Amino acid sequence: MTAARKSNYTAIEAAPPRERVERLISVTDHLMRIVEQESTFLRNKEPYRIEEVHEEKLRLTSDYAMDIGLLNKTPHILDQAPAETVSRLKNNMKQLSEKLTENEKLLGALKDASENLIKNIARIAARERRPAAGYGNSGQIPDLPKTAPSALSLDRQI
Protein backbone atom coordinates (compact mmCIF):
# COMPACT_ATOMS: atom_id res chain seq x y z
CA MET A 1 0.00 0.00 0.00
CA THR A 2 1.45 3.38 -0.99
CA ALA A 3 1.83 6.17 1.57
CA ALA A 4 -0.98 8.18 -0.04
CA ARG A 5 -3.26 5.15 -0.10
CA LYS A 6 -2.41 4.33 3.54
CA SER A 7 -3.17 7.93 4.51
CA ASN A 8 -6.50 7.77 2.65
CA TYR A 9 -7.29 4.43 4.31
CA THR A 10 -6.55 5.89 7.75
CA ALA A 11 -8.66 9.00 7.06
CA ILE A 12 -11.63 6.90 5.93
CA GLU A 13 -11.27 4.58 8.90
CA ALA A 14 -11.35 7.60 11.27
CA ALA A 15 -14.36 9.23 9.59
CA PRO A 16 -17.78 9.23 11.28
CA PRO A 17 -20.13 6.36 10.32
CA ARG A 18 -22.46 8.50 8.19
CA GLU A 19 -19.50 9.91 6.24
CA ARG A 20 -18.10 6.42 5.59
CA VAL A 21 -21.44 5.14 4.33
CA GLU A 22 -21.94 8.28 2.20
CA ARG A 23 -18.49 7.75 0.68
CA LEU A 24 -19.38 4.17 -0.24
CA ILE A 25 -22.67 5.38 -1.75
CA SER A 26 -20.72 7.87 -3.85
CA VAL A 27 -18.23 5.23 -4.98
CA THR A 28 -21.03 2.83 -5.98
CA ASP A 29 -22.84 5.65 -7.84
CA HIS A 30 -19.73 6.42 -9.86
CA LEU A 31 -18.93 2.76 -10.44
CA MET A 32 -22.49 2.11 -11.66
CA ARG A 33 -22.15 5.02 -14.10
CA ILE A 34 -18.89 3.60 -15.49
CA VAL A 35 -20.27 0.06 -15.78
CA GLU A 36 -23.38 1.39 -17.53
CA GLN A 37 -21.20 3.40 -19.92
CA GLU A 38 -19.13 0.29 -20.66
CA SER A 39 -22.31 -1.71 -21.27
CA THR A 40 -23.56 0.99 -23.64
CA PHE A 41 -20.32 0.74 -25.61
CA LEU A 42 -20.82 -3.02 -25.86
CA ARG A 43 -24.50 -2.71 -26.89
CA ASN A 44 -23.51 -0.14 -29.54
CA LYS A 45 -20.85 -2.53 -30.87
CA GLU A 46 -18.04 -0.18 -29.83
CA PRO A 47 -15.96 -2.37 -27.49
CA TYR A 48 -12.78 -0.48 -28.40
CA ARG A 49 -14.22 2.55 -26.53
CA ILE A 50 -14.07 0.70 -23.20
CA GLU A 51 -10.48 1.89 -23.01
CA GLU A 52 -11.85 5.44 -22.45
CA VAL A 53 -13.22 4.49 -19.02
CA HIS A 54 -10.71 1.80 -18.05
CA GLU A 55 -8.51 3.92 -15.74
CA GLU A 56 -11.47 5.38 -13.87
CA LYS A 57 -13.05 1.94 -13.53
CA LEU A 58 -9.82 0.56 -12.02
CA ARG A 59 -9.60 3.45 -9.56
CA LEU A 60 -13.24 3.14 -8.51
CA THR A 61 -12.99 -0.64 -8.21
CA SER A 62 -9.97 -0.21 -5.95
CA ASP A 63 -11.79 2.39 -3.83
CA TYR A 64 -14.85 0.12 -3.62
CA ALA A 65 -12.74 -2.85 -2.53
CA MET A 66 -10.97 -0.73 0.10
CA ASP A 67 -14.25 0.63 1.48
CA ILE A 68 -15.88 -2.80 1.56
CA GLY A 69 -12.78 -4.19 3.28
CA LEU A 70 -13.02 -1.46 5.92
CA LEU A 71 -16.72 -2.11 6.31
CA ASN A 72 -16.11 -5.84 6.80
CA LYS A 73 -13.46 -4.99 9.36
CA THR A 74 -15.85 -2.71 11.28
CA PRO A 75 -19.41 -3.85 10.50
CA HIS A 76 -20.80 -1.94 13.50
CA ILE A 77 -20.46 1.23 11.39
CA LEU A 78 -23.71 0.30 9.61
CA ASP A 79 -25.51 0.20 12.95
CA GLN A 80 -24.22 3.68 13.81
CA ALA A 81 -25.13 5.33 10.48
CA PRO A 82 -28.65 6.70 9.84
CA ALA A 83 -31.06 4.00 8.62
CA GLU A 84 -31.98 6.02 5.51
CA THR A 85 -28.31 6.24 4.50
CA VAL A 86 -27.76 2.53 5.03
CA SER A 87 -30.90 1.82 3.00
CA ARG A 88 -29.54 3.94 0.12
CA LEU A 89 -26.26 2.03 0.31
CA LYS A 90 -28.03 -1.33 0.15
CA ASN A 91 -30.10 -0.16 -2.80
CA ASN A 92 -26.96 1.07 -4.60
CA MET A 93 -25.16 -2.21 -3.97
CA LYS A 94 -28.13 -4.16 -5.35
CA GLN A 95 -28.26 -1.96 -8.47
CA LEU A 96 -24.49 -2.26 -8.93
CA SER A 97 -24.76 -6.03 -8.75
CA GLU A 98 -27.50 -6.03 -11.41
CA LYS A 99 -25.49 -3.75 -13.71
CA LEU A 100 -22.40 -5.91 -13.26
CA THR A 101 -24.41 -9.03 -14.15
CA GLU A 102 -25.68 -7.38 -17.34
CA ASN A 103 -22.16 -6.16 -18.16
CA GLU A 104 -20.78 -9.67 -17.65
CA LYS A 105 -23.33 -11.09 -20.11
CA LEU A 106 -22.43 -8.46 -22.72
CA LEU A 107 -18.72 -9.14 -22.27
CA GLY A 108 -19.35 -12.88 -22.53
CA ALA A 109 -21.26 -12.40 -25.78
CA LEU A 110 -18.42 -10.29 -27.18
CA LYS A 111 -15.88 -12.92 -26.14
CA ASP A 112 -17.91 -15.71 -27.77
CA ALA A 113 -18.36 -13.70 -30.98
CA SER A 114 -14.64 -12.90 -31.12
CA GLU A 115 -13.66 -16.53 -30.58
CA ASN A 116 -16.11 -17.71 -33.25
CA LEU A 117 -14.79 -15.11 -35.68
CA ILE A 118 -11.20 -16.23 -35.12
CA LYS A 119 -12.14 -19.91 -35.52
CA ASN A 120 -14.01 -19.19 -38.76
CA ILE A 121 -11.15 -17.16 -40.19
CA ALA A 122 -8.68 -19.93 -39.31
CA ARG A 123 -10.99 -22.55 -40.87
CA ILE A 124 -11.32 -20.53 -44.10
CA ALA A 125 -7.57 -19.90 -44.23
CA ALA A 126 -6.86 -23.62 -43.80
CA ARG A 127 -9.36 -24.51 -46.53
CA GLU A 128 -7.83 -21.97 -48.94
CA ARG A 129 -4.31 -23.26 -48.35
CA ARG A 130 -5.22 -26.90 -48.87
CA PRO A 131 -6.12 -28.11 -52.35
CA ALA A 132 -9.28 -30.13 -52.80
CA ALA A 133 -8.69 -33.74 -51.88
CA GLY A 134 -9.61 -36.27 -54.51
CA TYR A 135 -8.26 -38.76 -57.00
CA GLY A 136 -5.77 -37.52 -59.60
CA ASN A 137 -5.56 -38.52 -63.28
CA SER A 138 -3.71 -41.71 -62.40
CA GLY A 139 -6.37 -42.83 -59.95
CA GLN A 140 -4.10 -42.08 -57.02
CA ILE A 141 -4.74 -39.59 -54.23
CA PRO A 142 -2.00 -36.98 -54.62
CA ASP A 143 0.21 -36.16 -51.67
CA LEU A 144 -0.85 -32.91 -50.08
CA PRO A 145 1.94 -30.35 -50.07
CA LYS A 146 3.53 -29.66 -46.72
CA THR A 147 2.93 -26.04 -45.81
CA ALA A 148 4.32 -24.00 -43.00
CA PRO A 149 1.86 -22.77 -40.41
CA SER A 150 0.85 -19.18 -40.86
CA ALA A 151 0.22 -16.54 -38.24
CA LEU A 152 -3.17 -15.03 -37.69
CA SER A 153 -3.53 -11.52 -36.36
CA LEU A 154 -6.66 -9.79 -35.23
CA ASP A 155 -7.45 -6.11 -35.40
CA ARG A 156 -8.47 -5.21 -31.83
CA GLN A 157 -11.36 -3.07 -33.10
CA ILE A 158 -13.28 -6.11 -34.32
Side-chain angles (χ1 to χ4, degrees), residues 106-154:
L106 290 167
L107 285 169
L110 175 66
K111 177 182 171 273
D112 290 345
S114 295
E115 287 175 354
N116 287 337
L117 177 65
I118 290 170
K119 286 177 186 176
N120 286 331
I121 290 171
R123 191 176 307 120
I124 290 169
R127 189 174 348 136
E128 292 297 319
R129 293 182 59 135
R130 183 181 49 211
Y135 292 101
N137 291 338
S138 66
Q140 299 284 330
I141 296 178
D143 289 333
L144 295 177
K146 303 254 189 257
T147 59
S150 60
L152 177 66
S153 65
L154 179 66

Side-chain angles (χ1 to χ4, degrees), residues 37-140:
Q37 192 172 8
E38 189 177 271
S39 294
T40 298
F41 291 153
L42 292 169
R43 279 191 294 275
N44 292 339
K45 297 176 179 40
E46 302 173 317
Y48 56 90
R49 292 194 60 199
I50 290 173
E51 212 172 296
E52 297 172 17
V53 295
H54 181 71
E55 289 297 319
E56 187 176 2
K57 184 178 179 185
L58 285 177
R59 183 186 61 76
L60 289 168
T61 302
S62 178
D63 287 351
Y64 181 80
M66 181 177 69
D67 286 1
I68 291 295
L70 273 170
L71 197 58
N72 287 336
K73 191 173 152 183
T74 54
H76 64 279
I77 293 298
L78 292 176
D79 296 334
Q80 297 171 359
E84 180 270 328
T85 307
V86 174
S87 177
R88 279 185 23 228
L89 174 62
K90 288 178 181 179
N91 186 47
N92 269 22
M93 292 178 86
K94 180 180 179 223
Q95 287 179 13
L96 177 61
S97 177
E98 291 167 358
K99 288 186 185 305
L100 286 170
T101 299
E102 178 191 3
N103 186 266
E104 182 180 11
K105 288 177 185 175
L106 290 167
L107 285 169
L110 175 66
K111 177 182 171 273
D112 290 345
S114 295
E115 287 175 354
N116 287 337
L117 177 65
I118 290 170
K119 286 177 186 176
N120 286 331
I121 290 171
R123 191 176 307 120
I124 290 169
R127 189 174 348 136
E128 292 297 319
R129 293 182 59 135
R130 183 181 49 211
Y135 292 101
N137 291 338
S138 66
Q140 299 284 330

